[in-house]
Amino acid sequence: MAAQNEVWTLAEIRDGKLHSVSYELLSWGRSLADSLKAPLVSVVLGDASDLPSLFEYGADKVYHVSAPELKHYLVDSQVSVLKEMVEKYEPQIFISSATTQGRSTMPVLYAKLGVGLTADCTGLSIQDGSLLQTRPAIGGNVMADIMTPLRRPQMCTVRPKSKRPLPRDARRKGEIVGYTPQKSSLASLLTFLGFEPESRVGLPIQDAEVIVAGGKGMKGTKNFALLDELAGLLGGSVGASRSAVDLGWAPASSQVGLSGKSVTPRLYLACGISGAVQHLAGMSGAETVLAINTDAEAPIFGVADLGVVGSVLEILPRLIGDLKKSSKGVSK
Ligand SMILES: Cc1cc2nc3c(=O)[nH]c(=O)nc-3n(C[C@H](O)[C@H](O)[C@H](O)COP(=O)(O)OP(=O)(O)OC[C@H]3O[C@@H](n4cnc5c(N)ncnc54)[C@H](O)[C@@H]3O)c2cc1C
């Protein structure tokens, strides 16, 4: 198969449907494919009922592998199938999301292919025909530009929610090309035992429209119950700074920031969070930021649309009380 210099993105499936990161990746890939005048391809391993939606969000073509062995994500079979496909089609760029799946697949795949991988990119562009990958380095204090001009494909991951999907265009159509891998590639040494979702208030933070996030200023695990209550009233989810997670006040899955998750809520309520650069790296995509902090000089106020100088331990109970009163008023 002659190289077509395609730009690839790796779609992900949850519960038989495409996961939203599949569309976010097409948003990244579309501008690269346009700059290179190359086809944009979404690679789908497993069955999803909504494959044609990939065209509506920017894909020109879909490579689809349907096999019962791919029903559940197993890293070794996924890597073997992708390696086979990369060797056959020779894409010039391959982008995945830095989800748990992407972070498991891509490092094994790039090592087996003997190419390069830049993880957690925050910017991608084309320079002199090659992929310019930008990512924070040295604890987020510098932005590093990385290129791998001598190897193909140029591989990278981008943070989930680091770009919004393109507007849906129902008129866009494309071609779904089936691919049948070798039986040996589908074999796995792993056995899928089951999936247990985490118990939490609201949606996973990366999907939440409202996030009530707490930091070290919350003073203890007990006070995180205030954040749970407020998030429940606002129909949101609870986030946390790394300090709060390190102290065991919140689960690692709720960490916002450079070594946590990137979030793009409509409202981000930062409670007792100083606003370190590594925290801001994860929440700079929030539409509106409201911060409560006792220190008027805290850096979080530099990015806040609305700042309240005061103690969360006094302000949050009052806010919760007022919201409860006003919701009673509304239901009367
Ligand atoms: C490589 C690297 C990666 C990192 N990744 C992340 C990351 O992903 N996410 C992240 O968050 N951090 C990350 N960090 C850590 C980051 O540098 C900060 O240490 C951390 O964000 C600080 O958390 P904090 O704001 O909760 O705590 P602090 O910085 O200690 O701030 C606590 C704030 O609470 C305020 N406060 C105190 N009492 C009250 C009160 N009663 N009411 C209201 N406010 C009060 C204080 O004025 C202060 O501003 C990373 C660091 C490194 C080096």
Side-chain angles (χ1 to χ4, degrees):
M1 165 74 50
Q4 295 172 35
N5 279 328
E6 293 163 340
V7 174
W8 281 16
T9 61
L10 182 60
E12 291 190 24
I13 298 172
R14 304 279 190 280
D15 298 325
K17 292 204 153 198
L18 291 161
H19 188 266
S20 56
V21 295
S22 315
Y23 306 120
E24 294 166 20
L25 289 173
L26 290 171
S27 183
W28 283 103
R30 189 67 263 166
S31 56
L32 303 176
D34 288 344
S35 300
L36 292 163
K37 301 200 175 13
L40 177 61
V41 178
S42 182
V43 180
V44 186
L45 304 195
D47 291 325
S49 55
D50 46 358
L51 284 191
S53 63
L54 291 165
F55 303 124
E56 297 172 356
Y57 286 99
D60 299 312
K61 198 197 282 185
V62 168
Y63 287 143
H64 178 220
V65 185
S66 175
E69 292 88 340
L70 296 172
K71 181 160 186 232
H72 301 294
Y73 173 82
L74 296 173
V75 64
D76 52 353
S77 47
Q78 174 140 156
V79 167
S80 303
V81 172
L82 289 173
K83 179 169 179 283
E84 217 187 287
M85 295 175 77
V86 166
E87 285 169 349
K88 174 172 176 179
Y89 293 108
E90 300 176 8
Q92 57 176 322
I93 292 173
F94 194 5
I95 316 169
S96 145
S97 188
T99 54
T100 306
Q101 289 192 14
R103 283 180 173 175
S104 306
T105 299
M106 295 304 251
V108 188
L109 181 62
Y110 100 87
K112 290 209 170 203
L113 289 167
V115 295
L117 174 73
T118 307
D120 286 346
C121 294
T122 53
L124 296 176
S125 59
I126 300 297
Q127 190 175 297
D128 301 329
S130 289
L131 182 64
L132 180 69
Q133 304 154 106
T134 305
R135 59 150 298 155
I138 317 183
N141 292 306
V142 297
M143 296 304 277
D145 285 339
I146 298 164
M147 295 181 94
T148 44
L150 303 180
R151 297 270 195 275
R152 294 291 182 270
Q154 301 156 93
M155 288 176 54
C156 64
T157 63
V158 291
R159 308 288 296 269
K161 296 282 175 188
S162 52
K163 214 174 181 59
R164 289 183 191 276
L166 295 168
R168 180 168 170 255
D169 179 353
R171 291 163 309 172
R172 282 193 100 259
K173 305 275 177 250
E175 184 192 5
I176 298 180
V177 179
Y179 179 82
T180 308
Q182 292 170 18
K183 270 273 163 232
S184 57
S185 295
L186 290 166
S188 175
L189 294 171
L190 307 168
T191 306
F192 177 80
L193 296 178
F195 178 75
E196 268 184 48
E198 234 183 343
S199 58
R200 60 160 82 79
V201 174
L203 293 166
I205 52 169
Q206 61 276 24
D207 298 325
E209 293 278 297
V210 175
I211 296 177
V212 181
K216 210 168 165 186
M218 289 303 296
K219 309 279 189 215
T221 193
K222 177 166 76 57
N223 297 324
F224 261 69
L226 291 170
L227 303 181
D228 285 339
E229 195 173 2
L230 183 56
L233 286 166
L234 296 173
S237 302
V238 176
S241 70
R242 176 154 137 182
S243 298
V245 170
D246 287 349
L247 287 161
W249 302 348
S253 58
S254 64
Q255 184 181 317
V256 174
L258 189 63
S259 50
K261 289 177 177 151
S262 293
V263 294
T264 51
R266 296 185 59 198
L267 175 65
Y268 190 84
L269 187 50
C271 305
I273 293 177
S274 59
V277 64
Q278 296 89 356
H279 187 82
L280 302 184
M283 44 72 74
S284 55
E287 257 175 55
T288 302
V289 177
L290 197 160
I292 307 172
N293 200 302
T294 43
D295 176 7
E297 303 296 318
I300 192 74
F301 288 130
V303 298
D305 300 283
L306 184 65
V308 181
V309 179
S311 171
V312 283
L313 304 181
E314 288 166 22
I315 294 165
L316 288 178
R318 279 170 50 196
L319 185 56
I320 290 167
D322 286 352
L323 280 169
K324 280 183 175 165
K325 269 190 233 149
S326 66
S327 65
K328 270 191 206 141
V330 168
S331 61
K332 263 181 205 163

